[in-house]
Amino acid sequence: MLRVQDCQCLEVSLCEVAYIDTSGLAVLVDVLKSARQLGKKLELSGLQERPRYLLEATGLLRFFVEAGSPCDE
């Protein structure tokens, strides 16, 4: 998806993700690195308490942009 020329921003909805482990973090970091290399933007939306805590505890949250939550829609 990031390689599609019209795609300038990829939003990853985590609305239904109540738990994430280190493998999930690794995937998010890899996608973020790919997006940045391609000059694209990656946004996380619907970040719940436990995944947010893990991102904060590892110091990774500061590297991600949080979009408004589409979970209410």
Side-chain angles (χ1 to χ4, degrees):
M1 187 60 154
L2 285 170
R3 296 195 187 276
V4 175
Q5 198 152 40
D6 291 343
C7 174
Q8 295 303 312
C9 179
L10 178 64
E11 182 178 330
V12 177
S13 174
L14 300 171
C15 291
E16 296 186 27
V17 179
Y19 174 81
I20 190 168
D21 62 10
T22 55
S23 296
L25 286 181
V27 169
L28 288 175
V29 170
D30 283 345
V31 173
L32 178 62
K33 285 172 54 177
S34 294
R36 287 185 173 179
Q37 288 173 348
L38 294 169
K40 312 280 176 109
K41 186 175 173 184
L42 173 70
E43 296 182 347
L44 303 180
S45 64
L47 197 54
Q48 294 188 38
E49 185 179 341
R50 289 180 72 187
R52 176 186 299 282
Y53 174 78
L54 186 57
L55 284 165
E56 287 174 345
T58 58
L60 293 173
L61 186 59
R62 64 189 170 113
F63 295 106
F64 292 92
V65 173
E66 283 191 73
S69 177
C71 301
D72 299 334
E73 296 174 2

